[in-house]
Amino acid sequence: MKSFIQLIIVATLILLSGQFASAASGDPTNELQSLVAKVRTDIQSGKKTEAALADDLKQFDALLAEHKGEKTDGVAKILYMKAMLYAEVIGDSTKADALMKQLKADFGNTPFVAQLQEAETRQAEAKKIQDSLKTGATFPDFHETDVNGKPISISGYKGKVVLVDFWATWCGPCRGELPNVLAVYKKYHAKGFEIVGVSLDEDKATLQKFLQQNGMTWQQYFDGKGWENKLAVKYGIQSIPATFLLDGSGKIIGSDLRGPLLDSAVATALGK
């Protein structure tokens, strides 16, 4: 479930196979589509080494040679896919980095590379934010309105142990962890435990129905922007579920706690 533009090779291959269906005759993306289908089949059959994928790599080189001198998105994507094959399947970061460097040098003026560079910048900024949200740090406050139109903030729960939960109804791991979160909430809510949800959903009706069906009575922030959710961007969230456990003063005492670890951490925090 990664963020917005950051891709893994298999997901990219699946998307590309449909993306190029309407490409014009002679466009290199048509040729890449055929190669993508072959690579996907090879990966699914267990081919994951450079030697096993040698024929596919040669075909990438043949396509690049065929379209040498064409500074277009279509040709840039050929080089990008080869780089991703090395990075995400073969696991050779040295060759992948070299190919990405070549991509930026040879196709720097294409919209495709501009989007990649924008994504890298955003990822670097998000990482910087995430690095600052360590145990012992004060969780930056926010003042917004929840899905029901009521004020929502961290300071509004001063003195409470608070779990800030970034999630979405479409997120499988989020749904998988929900029974545990509900159990901890029911067990400790009366003792001073609260949850503040930040939903990355895009449809308000779907979210409200899910909240009602699952008994999620705590406050939820929702703006319908998905991965561009205002608070998700503010806190550098790039994957979900992402959680931060705060003490009564708003300091981070744990993050991404799952299963019995969440129960134990909440119990300890309330016992102090």
Side-chain angles (χ1 to χ4, degrees):
M1 220 175 4
K2 224 8 173 178
S3 79
F4 22 104
I5 301 177
Q6 187 179 23
L7 303 174
I8 61 171
I9 186 67
V10 175
T12 305
L13 293 173
I14 293 172
L15 290 173
L16 284 175
S17 63
Q19 176 181 339
F20 296 146
S22 60
S25 178
D27 190 301
T29 54
N30 273 328
E31 298 165 285
L32 181 56
Q33 181 185 16
S34 297
L35 178 53
V36 158
K38 182 179 184 303
V39 172
R40 186 174 69 234
T41 299
D42 287 343
I43 292 173
Q44 292 173 341
S45 70
K47 295 182 179 180
K48 296 181 179 180
T49 66
E50 185 174 26
L53 295 167
D55 183 60
D56 296 324
L57 293 168
K58 288 179 181 178
Q59 289 191 49
F60 275 111
D61 292 337
L63 278 180
L64 290 168
E66 179 184 347
H67 296 281
K68 184 177 181 180
E70 299 176 21
K71 304 300 182 181
T72 66
D73 273 4
V75 182
K77 289 174 182 177
I78 297 171
L79 186 56
Y80 174 71
M81 290 303 299
K82 182 181 178 182
M84 290 298 96
L85 193 58
Y86 271 108
E88 304 295 344
V89 178
I90 297 172
D92 189 331
S93 59
T94 299
K95 289 186 177 180
D97 290 345
L99 289 168
M100 289 300 292
K101 183 176 180 180
Q102 179 186 346
L103 176 68
K104 294 174 183 177
D106 294 349
F107 299 92
N109 293 325
T110 62
F112 177 70
V113 171
Q115 290 174 352
L116 287 179
Q117 292 178 320
E118 180 183 350
E120 288 178 356
T121 298
R122 293 177 64 179
Q123 289 164 10
E125 292 173 350
K127 185 179 185 303
K128 183 177 180 181
I129 294 171
Q130 283 287 299
D131 288 344
S132 70
L133 300 177
K134 300 297 185 183
T135 300
T138 297
F139 192 81
D141 202 359
F142 62 84
H143 297 273
E144 301 292 343
T145 301
D146 72 9
V147 70
N148 295 314
K150 297 181 180 180
I152 181 173
S153 66
I154 299 302
S155 55
Y157 291 100
K158 186 176 181 180
K160 304 286 188 177
V161 174
V162 179
L163 181 72
V164 184
D165 185 8
F166 294 84
W167 72 290
T169 61
W170 45 259
C171 167
C174 301
R175 296 169 71 116
E177 179 64 13
L178 181 56
N180 178 59
V181 174
L182 283 165
V184 173
Y185 183 74
K186 291 177 181 178
K187 184 177 181 179
Y188 296 109
H189 177 57
K191 300 178 182 180
F193 176 58
E194 300 285 353
I195 301 177
V196 172
V198 180
S199 168
L200 273 64
D201 283 277
E202 296 183 7
D203 184 77
K204 187 175 182 179
T206 297
L207 170 62
Q208 291 181 314
K209 181 179 180 180
F210 187 90
L211 296 175
Q212 184 177 14
Q213 289 178 335
N214 290 278
M216 300 168 69
T217 58
W218 51 87
Q219 283 190 288
Q220 298 281 343
Y221 174 76
F222 165 85
D223 62 14
K225 297 180 180 179
W227 284 107
E228 297 302 314
N229 178 289
K230 181 179 179 179
L231 295 184
V233 174
K234 175 182 175 69
Y235 297 106
I237 303 302
Q238 291 197 293
S239 64
I240 54 175
T243 63
F244 298 89
L245 186 64
L246 315 180
D247 67 10
S249 65
K251 288 187 177 181
I252 300 171
I253 54 177
S255 59
D256 295 328
L257 300 168
R258 305 278 189 270
L261 292 178
L262 176 61
D263 186 299
S264 177
V266 172
T268 299
L270 290 172
K272 290 184 178 180

